[in-house]
Amino acid sequence: MNEPKYDENAEMPSIPAITPSQSDLMKLATQEFDKKNFSAAFSLMGKLAAQRTTDPKVLHNKVVAEFYQSGLKNKDDFNKNLQSVCKLIRYGPRRLSSETEALEDVDQTVIFYNQSVLLYHHRQYKAALEVLEKVVPSLEPLEENLSRKCVLLLIELYLCTYQPEKAMGRIAYFEKTYFIGKPATQITADRPTSSSGGERSDSSVDALRYKIGLYKTRCLLMFKSLKSSKRELKALLAIHPNQQPLSVTYLKCYLDYLRGNYKKAMKGLSSLPQTQVISEHGECLTMMYYNNLACIHFQMKKHHLGALHLRKSLQENENAIKDPRYTEKDRPLNMMGMSRHYELLYNMGIQLLHCGKSQPAFDCLIQAVQVYQTNPRLWLRLAECCIQYNRENNDEDRKLEKRLEVIQGSVGNGIHRKLILGPGLKKEKQSSGSSAIPATTYEFASLCLRNALFLLPEDPLDFDSAPSPENVDASKSQQDMLMVPAPPGNPMRSVEVANLRCSILCAAAYVSLSLNDHLMALNYARNLLRQPRISGAQRYLGNLYMAEVLVILDRISDAVNHLKPEDLEVISPCPPEEKTDKSEKEKDEPTEEKGPLYPWSPKEMIHAKKIMQYNLAVTYAIRGDFDKSNANLSESVAAIGTPLPAQMFFLKLYLDLMEGRRITAQNVIKDHFGHMTPNRVENQVISKSSSNAWHDNS
């Protein structure tokens, strides 16, 4: 259908008066549309549009009738024709997305609403919200049915853009306006509507209260207000006592998931029917089922099983998109946003990272970051993929091939035989040449961590001026209400932001050390150690990183102050627990035991102290205090266990050679590197006490 072209900057054409015959055509078209006889309605609106070519209402209703006639499938034509109507009223796409433009005519509200509906189903939530927010000042004089639709869609868009605080404000407005003292009727907010205002109600007030209850529960779950969420779910179940709707079941399972009752959440998911593949709202239920199972297994530390379910979820998502019944051309409007490809890639990347498969995890997350650039957690996970790829764990230094690098070879024969010690374990790292090239390198990890820090709000510790006593409570409550977006997940609260900041700073200090950027490493480590939400493991690593940087900067005395094993109290990788109201925890339903989702080493306090003591021995050795260095090394070797890391052999041989303990050095070489030493008779006598050589000569 060819629509006339209008100049967006030209004055709006005058609208002629309505004749009696045209009024009859309008009433008849409205009746046919209400009867869902869309072909007849479109034919009548076509006749009316031919007589009123400058009336935006008539042209708009003709566009809507044509779209309903196509079964809500001709989305491109509907969008094109709707844009023509917007240009007629001097609201093109540019002005629709402008924050400064306001609604000039209340009767144009329905056009804005339909434009928002179209953007919503294309998952352009922010653009839809910008358009619909222009209607907010004009809600009061609107016809009640249309104003309800606008508020419901506004709530949905706030939830889709992770703004639960604004959504709760609109829910309170809705309840106050439409529930108190007025007979409420239910309408839907997922399809375009005409501007006739004669649409009939679809269900009773209980259905409307049920819909608002669902929105309220979703808001409370985003706030992680678990006790209030459970109370709201009970109210929803009271509305439908004989049956439990699918949406309530999913919310109930999600509540159990947040509370840590993973087995109960899994049991609730298993009770869902598996016969229906795609819901009436255009959601792939099997995809959702496998994805939710994967999330539960992730929290239960069954990462490989979670990755298996995510592969099934990705396959179900692809099958739903390629379903011949729902091709791109014939797919209804409510199924346009059915694909959850990038959300699943994000989850798969996190699962593979915890499975130890850093390169596949990086490949998944680098695709997801193209869509979720504003998620600081995602940038941190990308950096962790790079770190894990270059160094999976510290147990690599205990491997035989690493220990064999301590002695590279020998030269000469007989009494002139000399052993050649290796240069060390630190090898030249692979570099992509530029941090802007996505690759599993430390350079790209550094870029990711800078992006993550940039996306976080300003650190409260950076403010020089201390707040006055009367403003302390106000600033604290303001921080508690702070919600940082982290799509595709829920927004982060201030406590979660503080925990994330510690993780980013800890990773940034390590990456900077690996890149020999010592001043930045010093800055990151110092900033990490002053954070109030730092965990025991992060404080432990922060002191080690700080000491290493200070040694490199030739500040040995300052480094020794950070290497005090006696000051270690906690090495748990979990952040300190948030103080919450104990009444929110149900005593009759114990939650799963929480812990690190990835194995942390060292697990025991004694091992952590001895590793720090080894670093202290290295620091003393660099300063030239060999007696203290040897004493600390001997104590650390006794608790670290075998096989010993290669670094300890380097330090032991260095100390023995520097202090002239040639026999002890020969003993260590004979005991651990016998393949490099000829089987001489004079060495056999020394090797009898080799097991205690490290202690006897200290």
Side-chain angles (χ1 to χ4, degrees):
M1 180 177 63
N2 296 325
E3 290 290 333
K5 296 182 179 180
Y6 304 97
D7 185 3
E8 185 178 335
N9 297 319
E11 292 185 1
M12 185 173 176
S14 60
I15 302 175
I18 302 176
T19 64
S21 60
Q22 292 174 352
S23 179
D24 294 338
L25 278 176
M26 290 181 183
K27 293 179 181 179
L28 187 59
T30 301
Q31 293 173 2
E32 295 295 337
F33 188 87
D34 290 340
K35 293 176 182 178
K36 299 184 179 181
N37 189 1
F38 304 122
S39 298
F42 174 66
S43 177
L44 292 170
M45 291 306 302
K47 296 178 182 179
L48 190 60
Q51 301 175 22
R52 303 181 61 82
T53 57
T54 59
D55 191 339
K57 286 186 179 180
V58 173
L59 296 176
H60 168 264
N61 286 351
K62 178 188 173 184
V63 170
V64 173
E66 182 185 19
F67 186 50
Y68 270 89
Q69 185 187 16
S70 68
L72 304 177
K73 295 179 180 179
N74 293 344
K75 300 169 289 295
D76 294 336
D77 291 341
F78 177 65
N79 186 25
K80 180 181 177 181
N81 296 333
L82 194 60
Q83 294 297 336
S84 299
V85 177
C86 291
K87 291 179 181 179
L88 178 62
I89 61 174
R90 300 182 301 162
Y91 276 97
R94 176 172 53 84
R95 295 187 67 192
L96 278 172
S97 60
S98 174
E99 297 181 0
T100 58
E101 295 290 340
L103 188 63
E104 297 178 356
D105 187 358
V106 176
D107 293 336
Q108 299 168 0
T109 302
V110 66
I111 302 177
F112 281 70
Y113 170 80
N114 285 344
Q115 185 73 19
S116 299
V117 169
L118 194 62
L119 293 170
Y120 165 77
H121 285 293
H122 283 83
R123 302 188 67 184
Q124 300 178 22
Y125 301 130
K126 291 185 178 179
L129 193 58
E130 288 179 358
V131 174
L132 194 61
E133 282 183 335
K134 300 178 187 300
V135 180
V136 173
S138 307
L139 285 176
E140 294 294 338
L142 284 180
E143 185 267 330
E144 185 173 335
N145 196 28
L146 179 59
S147 65
R148 286 178 180 174
K149 288 187 176 184
C150 291
V151 176
L152 290 174
L153 181 57
L154 196 62
I155 295 171
E156 179 69 29
L157 289 173
Y158 280 137
L159 289 173
C160 292
T161 53
Y162 304 101
Q163 302 181 67
E165 66 284 350
K166 292 185 178 180
M168 285 297 286
R170 285 296 152 191
I171 289 174
Y173 169 82
F174 191 95
E175 292 177 331
K176 180 180 178 181
T177 306
Y178 303 111
F179 282 165
I180 300 178
K182 292 186 179 181
T185 55
Q186 165 71 1
I187 40 79
T188 59
D190 59 349
R191 291 188 177 183
T193 182
S194 67
S195 57
S196 61
E199 184 176 323
R200 294 175 298 178
S201 61
D202 294 325
S203 59
S204 63
V205 62
D206 287 341
L208 186 58
R209 292 185 183 276
Y210 173 77
K211 191 177 187 70
I212 291 297
L214 285 178
Y215 283 140
K216 190 181 295 185
T217 306
R218 289 171 59 187
C219 290
L220 293 172
L221 289 174
M222 280 191 182
F223 281 122
K224 293 184 173 61
S225 180
L226 306 185
K227 183 179 180 182
S228 301
S229 301
K230 185 175 183 180
R231 183 167 57 247
E232 195 65 34
L233 278 174
K234 287 183 178 180
L236 287 174
L237 291 174
I239 298 177
H240 297 279
N242 299 325
Q243 60 178 354
Q244 184 169 313
L246 192 65
S247 54
V248 175
T249 303
Y250 271 107
L251 289 175
K252 191 175 180 181
C253 293
Y254 185 48
L255 175 62
D256 291 328
Y257 171 81
L258 291 178
R259 296 178 63 242
N261 296 326
Y262 305 124
K263 293 181 180 179
K264 187 176 180 181
M266 192 181 304
K267 183 178 179 181
L269 287 176
S270 62
S271 65
L272 293 172
Q274 302 296 324
T275 55
Q276 188 180 9
V277 179
I278 298 178
S279 69
E280 59 181 3
H281 300 293
E283 298 168 333
C284 183
L285 298 180
T286 52
M287 178 271 296
M288 294 169 56
Y289 171 75
Y290 286 121
N291 175 73
N292 292 342
L293 275 183
C295 293
I296 293 174
H297 287 303
F298 175 81
Q299 294 293 341
M300 297 174 71
K301 306 172 190 176
K302 301 178 181 179
H303 305 302
H304 290 84
L305 185 57
L308 174 64
H309 286 302
L310 275 173
R311 279 193 287 270
K312 292 181 180 179
S313 183
L314 279 166
Q315 187 60 49
E316 291 293 337
N317 187 68
E318 295 298 322
N319 294 341
I321 295 173
K322 297 177 181 178
D323 194 328
R325 297 175 299 172
Y326 306 108
T327 60
E328 186 69 25
K329 183 178 179 181
D330 298 331
R331 189 176 299 167
L333 180 64
N334 63 333
M335 297 182 65
M336 287 301 298
M338 179 173 58
S339 176
R340 293 294 185 268
H341 179 71
Y342 288 100
E343 291 97 321
L344 296 175
L345 279 180
Y346 177 85
N347 288 348
M348 176 64 84
I350 302 300
Q351 288 278 20
L352 292 175
L353 177 61
H354 285 76
C355 290
K357 300 179 180 180
S358 52
Q359 185 62 57
F362 182 85
D363 295 337
C364 292
L365 294 178
I366 203 65
Q367 296 183 57
V369 80
Q370 301 175 27
V371 180
Y372 308 115
Q373 304 98 329
T374 60
N375 187 350
R377 276 196 185 124
L378 179 52
W379 290 106
L380 172 63
R381 300 299 175 234
L382 278 170
E384 289 175 344
C385 289
C386 300
I387 295 172
Q388 190 183 85
Y389 180 81
N390 287 275
R391 187 174 182 84
E392 186 174 354
N393 52 58
N394 290 328
D395 290 336
E396 293 181 358
D397 297 332
R398 296 175 180 262
K399 294 180 180 179
L400 178 61
E401 56 268 23
K402 295 292 184 181
R403 288 184 282 124
L404 292 179
E405 294 180 12
V406 176
I407 299 179
Q408 286 190 336
S410 62
V411 293
N413 294 310
I415 61 174
H416 300 291
R417 180 181 176 86
K418 307 292 185 183
L419 298 180
I420 303 175
L421 297 181
L425 297 180
K426 198 167 186 180
K427 292 185 178 181
E428 184 109 7
K429 57 182 178 1
Q430 295 181 351
S431 174
S432 61
S434 173
S435 61
I437 299 177
T440 51
T441 61
Y442 285 128
E443 288 86 356
F444 187 71
S446 179
L447 174 65
C448 294
L449 292 168
R450 288 197 300 269
N451 290 343
L453 283 174
F454 177 77
L455 290 170
L456 292 181
E458 293 185 10
D459 192 348
L461 300 176
D462 291 338
F463 297 109
D464 296 332
S465 58
S468 57
E470 58 270 13
N471 294 333
V472 170
D473 295 336
S475 61
K476 185 177 180 181
S477 61
Q478 205 171 33
Q479 289 181 7
D480 292 339
M481 291 299 295
L482 176 66
M483 304 291 282
V484 177
N490 290 333
M492 297 182 293
R493 298 175 299 166
S494 58
V495 174
E496 295 171 307
V497 171
N499 295 338
L500 180 62
R501 192 188 306 277
C502 293
S503 299
I504 295 173
L505 290 172
C506 188
Y510 175 81
V511 171
S512 298
L513 275 172
S514 302
L515 292 173
N516 296 323
D517 193 351
H518 304 131
L519 292 180
M520 288 302 299
L522 180 65
N523 181 39
Y524 287 135
R526 183 183 291 119
N527 195 3
L528 172 65
L529 291 174
R530 67 172 186 161
Q531 296 296 321
R533 295 285 304 173
I534 187 173
S535 67
Q538 289 168 343
R539 186 177 299 280
Y540 174 71
L541 293 175
N543 281 306
L544 291 179
Y545 297 155
M546 178 72 82
E548 183 173 351
V549 174
L550 293 173
V551 167
I552 295 172
L553 297 177
D554 200 22
R555 296 166 57 182
I556 306 299
S557 299
D558 294 336
V560 171
N561 293 331
H562 287 276
L563 298 173
K564 295 181 178 180
E566 62 275 7
D567 292 344
L568 280 181
E569 297 179 355
V570 181
I571 58 169
S572 171
C574 299
E577 292 186 2
E578 182 183 3
K579 295 182 180 180
T580 56
D581 188 6
K582 294 183 179 180
S583 62
E584 290 201 13
K585 296 184 178 180
E586 300 292 336
K587 297 181 180 180
D588 56 338
E589 297 179 357
T591 59
E592 301 284 343
E593 184 180 357
K594 293 185 178 181
L597 296 173
Y598 194 78
W600 155 256
S601 178
K603 297 181 180 179
E604 299 179 3
M605 177 65 71
I606 183 64
H607 289 167
K609 289 184 176 181
K610 295 309 176 182
I611 291 175
M612 182 172 282
Q613 199 167 11
Y614 160 76
N615 285 273
L616 186 60
V618 175
T619 306
Y620 282 135
I622 294 175
R623 192 167 66 178
D625 196 344
F626 300 126
D627 292 336
K628 288 185 178 180
S629 177
N630 199 27
N632 282 280
L633 177 62
S634 300
E635 292 182 20
S636 63
V637 167
I640 287 181
T642 56
L644 293 173
Q647 293 94 332
M648 289 191 166
F649 291 107
F650 278 112
L651 180 58
K652 178 60 179 174
L653 292 175
Y654 173 78
L655 292 175
D656 289 340
L657 293 175
M658 292 299 295
E659 293 193 300
R661 295 193 295 265
R662 178 176 173 273
I663 296 178
T664 304
Q666 286 180 338
N667 195 22
V668 173
I669 295 172
K670 181 69 176 179
D671 196 19
H672 298 279
F673 308 97
H675 64 289
M676 300 298 300
T677 307
N679 190 14
R680 299 176 60 88
V681 177
E682 57 267 23
N683 289 333
Q684 292 179 357
V685 178
I686 300 174
S687 64
K688 290 182 180 179
S689 59
S690 61
S691 60
N692 295 323
W694 286 38
H695 302 279
D696 295 341
N697 296 282
S698 61

